Amino acid sequence: MTKAIKRWRTALFAIAALVMCAMPSVAVAAAATQTQTEQQAFAAAAQEFGVPENVLLAVSYNESRWEMNAGASIDGGYGVMDLRTYAGATTSGRDGSTMTPPKQPANYYTLDQAAGLLHQSTDTLKTDMNQNIRGGAAVLAAEAKQLNNGQLPSGINDWYAATAQFSGSVDSQANTSFADDVYATIKSGATLTTSAGQQLSLAATANVAPTRTSLPMSLLQPQHTNLPGQQAECPSTLNCRFIPAAYAQNDPNDPTNYGNFDYAHRPSDMQIKYIYIHDTEGSYDSAISHFQDPTAFDSANYVIRSSDGAITQMVPNADISWGVGNWYQNMHGINIEHEGFAAQGATWYTEAMYQSSATLVRWLADKYHIPLDRQHILGHEDLSRFPAANQAKQHWDPGPYWDWNHYMALIHGQSDQAEAGTSTASALTQGLHVGQVVAISPNFATNQPPIQDCGNTGAGPCTPEPPQGSNFVYLHTQPGDSAPLLSDPYMHTDGSPGTTVISDWSAKASTGFQYVVAGVQDDWTGIWFAGQIGWFYNPHSSGQTAHRSSSPTITPRSGLSTIPVYAAAFPELSAYPSDVPPESLTPSYSIAAGQIYTTTAQNLPTDYFYDATANYSKPDDHIIVHGNQKYYQIAFNHHTVFVRVDDVMLKR
């Protein structure tokens, strides 16, 4: 961070403190009450703090789509204004390890700033919609005054700099990108109904022309100089740009403390075999800003905007982005983030986003020879973590409301019906028998299982999600809705059944995944799933939730009572040279004799990329270890995992 930016931030924080003294007390500011509608709360806060109502609405729309997010944001933000606070420990997208990033400058934390300005607790601002909106308005007003010699701007066009600063980024591209998006929303207008049933509207302002010259000069300078001249790797038909993710050493005395990606030479040194689909759990601009912070320990190759499918590439595909918390999967994958929150589904997952993403994936798959199937086009939620104790911490994006059937149909250039395999209707499930392979394929629009949202930690309070299309079926211990849901030893260490909580993947079988039939009873189909039989409703007559498919399968080799299941395919320990610490893997699960699982049947070579420090130019810090052990990838539970070729029999 430059000295100019530090001085600018210090000055802003000082002015915010002065503004705080002049702010009305909680008792005086009675306009914000819990009985207000959300629309009225925006109007009241705008009037109270002198912020144009359309600016306040547009900032919130771009941050949260006017939803009360409970701290799930990628930048640690809360509520409809995405007010930020220090989150403490974070999980590294590189390898799943726990990191403690240093704090940002004080005024990055808009939640804490707002709490001081309003004389409110941060807990209140996290959970009270009205106070959260007031907090956002107070911070915007303080920033605007700092940028305008202590006065509020006279017209809407002069609020551009304050909205840019509200984004929290010190990078000129990310900063102005957020402000540009806010003003585009002001110009076009917006209307939607939130998940809480709140109807909000922002009228279009046709003649808006923001004043960009009011930005401090420090914010007009690019803050990242790495990867000069890098061009976005995209199909020519898409709206793409390149903004580099941060690559920097965070501690001058510790070269192992760096972010947010690793330089490599893919595919010449490591094959690119997978594409991973994520959602940002935040806005497009907040994700870009987050990946430009080297203490984020997180990155993606691409970020895609909800409204129009615009794409920002942040890590070249030759390099390794830190996206899934599994080093083997990162080594061999491309991470694509999609703007939105998993629990809000279609609010963010637009057709423009699906179309743009599908076009990009098809282009990438052709370039790197990646099969266009659900064994290689995977959600973050489809990947396993290690060590085994970290399984429960695995992310669950893009979540149950991502329409995999439609998305894969776009990738393949065919109809949703053809993708789902429903053209022959009931014939697809008639006569199912043990040993056949089925692909999960519920009708997305009509498949609306009960789902609860229990907050970012899953600890509650819990509220039911509005009924909406979903991409999975629940698995029960017996054929019948009254039977308990399957459990998982890492999600439920006490052995309790699975739940309908949105983040609980214990008993969810996702669209496109293939499993082996282990039993059929009336309209219920049982499949081998994580070492047990999971039963789901799959009627013969209509409304099938799975159809016949074909896939190679594996079962434990004769004479073995159980075999281990791994979260990665690293080399055997003897393959590592003496100067490379070996990556030791312990099994996550096991498969008993007689169980059968689908596989890609690809004899996967094992490799490990040693790049432990920021000294990427040193030859001894860029080592690829190759092993002799081979693995198969299998669909085991809600995740894809790996088994040793020597442990199994392959059945075609």
Side-chain angles (χ1 to χ4, degrees):
M1 182 182 298
T2 67
K3 291 182 178 179
I5 291 175
K6 288 182 178 178
R7 289 196 299 270
W8 189 84
R9 288 183 178 275
T10 302
L12 175 57
F13 194 64
I15 287 177
L18 292 174
V19 173
M20 178 182 70
C21 297
M23 290 293 180
S25 68
V26 176
V28 174
T33 67
Q34 288 292 340
T35 59
Q36 286 178 312
T37 67
E38 192 169 341
Q39 186 89 49
Q40 290 170 333
F42 276 110
Q47 182 177 13
E48 180 182 357
F49 296 99
V51 180
E53 185 177 349
N54 50 1
V55 170
L56 188 61
L57 280 164
V59 167
S60 176
Y61 179 85
N62 280 276
E63 290 282 22
S64 70
R65 291 298 192 269
W66 300 325
E67 295 277 356
M68 276 296 289
N69 299 308
S73 298
I74 194 170
D75 55 4
Y78 287 80
V80 295
M81 297 303 300
D82 192 49
L83 299 178
R84 299 180 294 271
T85 191
Y86 181 64
T90 187
T91 300
S92 169
R94 186 182 198 268
D95 56 10
S97 58
T98 299
M99 311 295 292
T100 304
K103 287 188 175 181
Q104 299 280 11
N107 92 300
Y108 174 82
Y109 301 112
T110 49
L111 179 70
D112 307 84
Q113 186 182 351
L117 291 167
L118 299 183
H119 305 286
Q120 294 273 12
S121 71
T122 55
D123 286 343
T124 296
L125 288 166
K126 287 178 180 179
T127 58
D128 187 312
M129 179 195 69
N130 296 317
Q131 298 304 330
N132 189 276
I133 294 171
R134 289 185 67 234
V139 171
L140 275 168
E143 290 170 342
K145 287 183 177 182
Q146 191 280 329
L147 294 164
N148 198 40
N149 299 316
Q151 302 295 316
L152 290 175
S154 58
I156 184 177
N157 291 328
D158 296 326
W159 283 83
Y160 182 88
T163 62
Q165 176 55 22
F166 192 85
S167 74
S169 176
V170 297
D171 180 87
S172 62
Q173 284 180 285
N175 222 314
T176 58
S177 175
F178 176 75
D180 287 342
D181 289 345
V182 167
Y183 273 80
T185 301
I186 293 171
K187 185 173 184 178
S188 64
T191 300
L192 60 76
T193 300
T194 70
S195 60
Q198 292 279 318
Q199 296 181 346
L200 288 96
S201 179
L202 168 60
T205 306
N207 297 322
V208 65
T211 306
R212 292 177 171 83
T213 55
S214 60
L215 282 171
M217 287 305 296
S218 61
L219 293 183
L220 297 177
Q221 305 302 316
Q223 300 301 313
H224 297 274
T225 57
N226 56 317
L227 305 171
Q230 175 72 38
Q231 299 296 311
E233 300 167 275
C234 280
S236 60
T237 56
L238 295 179
N239 175 17
C240 294
R241 64 178 180 176
F242 186 87
I243 296 178
Y247 185 92
Q249 188 170 319
N250 296 312
D251 182 342
N253 299 314
D254 183 5
T256 67
N257 184 346
Y258 69 101
N260 286 333
F261 64 92
D262 283 287
Y263 285 102
H265 305 286
R266 303 188 308 174
S268 61
D269 54 358
M270 285 164 282
Q271 184 183 357
I272 298 174
K273 299 184 288 192
Y274 306 102
I275 296 173
Y276 308 130
I277 305 302
H278 304 252
D279 77 79
T280 58
E281 293 300 305
S283 70
Y284 177 68
D285 298 297
S286 68
I288 293 169
S289 177
H290 180 70
F291 296 150
Q292 291 177 306
D293 173 10
T295 69
F297 307 107
D298 196 11
S299 64
N301 298 84
Y302 298 91
V303 185
I304 302 183
R305 187 160 59 193
S306 169
S307 60
D308 59 0
I311 298 174
T312 295
Q313 185 178 13
M314 303 198 71
V315 177
N317 294 328
D319 301 324
I320 300 173
S321 60
W322 297 359
V324 296
N326 179 318
W327 184 230
Y328 178 82
Q329 299 282 15
N330 280 329
M331 283 169 50
H332 295 290
I334 291 174
N335 289 288
I336 304 178
E337 291 277 359
H338 297 77
E339 182 184 22
F341 291 82
Q344 295 171 18
T347 300
W348 296 90
Y349 298 160
T350 64
E351 185 61 21
M353 174 183 281
Y354 280 128
Q355 293 272 358
S356 181
S357 181
T359 300
L360 175 63
V361 166
R362 189 166 55 247
W363 183 83
L364 290 169
D366 181 67
K367 182 176 182 179
Y368 297 110
H369 311 292
I370 302 170
L372 290 175
D373 55 41
R374 286 284 280 119
Q375 289 74 46
H376 298 87
I377 314 299
L378 296 161
H380 191 170
E381 63 192 336
D382 299 328
L383 305 178
S384 197
R385 286 274 292 274
F386 59 89
N390 284 342
Q391 290 281 19
K393 300 177 183 178
Q394 181 58 296
H395 291 200
W396 48 275
D397 57 306
Y401 306 131
W402 179 266
D403 191 346
W404 278 110
N405 182 56
H406 178 57
Y407 184 59
M408 296 303 293
L410 290 173
I411 289 174
H412 291 142
Q414 61 185 21
S415 70
D416 291 9
Q417 291 75 21
E419 181 68 31
T422 58
S423 58
T424 56
S426 61
L428 292 168
T429 55
Q430 288 284 3
L432 280 180
H433 58 78
V434 172
Q436 281 187 328
V437 172
V438 293
I440 305 300
S441 58
N443 181 295
F444 183 80
T446 60
N447 183 56
Q448 300 184 2
I451 299 174
Q452 294 186 85
D453 187 354
C454 297
N456 192 33
T457 64
C462 300
T463 57
E465 285 281 287
Q468 57 194 295
S470 301
N471 61 24
F472 72 94
V473 295
Y474 282 123
L475 299 175
H476 296 261
T477 57
Q478 297 293 330
D481 286 323
S482 61
L485 295 175
L486 291 189
S487 186
D488 183 274
Y490 301 110
M491 288 296 294
H492 301 278
T493 56
D494 60 356
S496 58
T499 69
T500 59
V501 174
I502 194 169
S503 58
D504 186 349
W505 43 260
S506 302
K508 293 186 174 85
S510 181
T511 292
F513 267 45
Q514 296 175 305
Y515 300 97
V516 178
V517 175
V520 178
Q521 183 170 321
D522 299 325
D523 284 337
W524 288 78
T525 300
I527 55 175
W528 287 115
F529 189 92
Q532 51 198 321
I533 299 177
W535 294 87
F536 64 97
Y537 187 58
N538 189 29
H540 300 313
S541 56
S542 63
Q544 296 88 355
T545 52
H547 66 269
R548 291 182 194 167
S549 187
S550 61
S551 170
T553 60
I554 60 93
T555 192
R557 189 175 295 278
S558 179
L560 298 177
S561 58
T562 62
I563 62 170
V565 172
Y566 298 93
F570 285 137
E572 62 276 12
L573 296 183
S574 61
Y576 290 82
S578 60
D579 56 344
V580 175
E583 183 66 56
S584 179
L585 273 179
T586 56
S588 299
Y589 299 89
S590 63
I591 296 175
Q595 297 178 11
I596 311 173
Y597 297 88
T598 61
T599 179
T600 58
Q602 294 173 322
N603 213 325
L604 299 175
T606 54
D607 53 3
Y608 176 76
F609 177 34
Y610 179 69
D611 194 27
T613 75
N615 299 323
Y616 63 89
S617 60
K618 292 176 59 180
D620 62 353
D621 198 47
H622 190 107
I623 299 173
I624 309 293
V625 179
H626 295 281
N628 294 316
Q629 178 67 61
K630 300 295 189 294
Y631 284 80
Y632 289 138
Q633 175 187 322
I634 67 170
F636 179 68
N637 51 9
H638 193 62
H639 302 147
T640 60
V641 293
F642 302 91
V643 293
R644 293 186 300 227
V645 169
D646 295 342
D647 289 340
V648 301
M649 296 185 295
L650 179 64
K651 303 171 67 176
R652 295 282 180 176

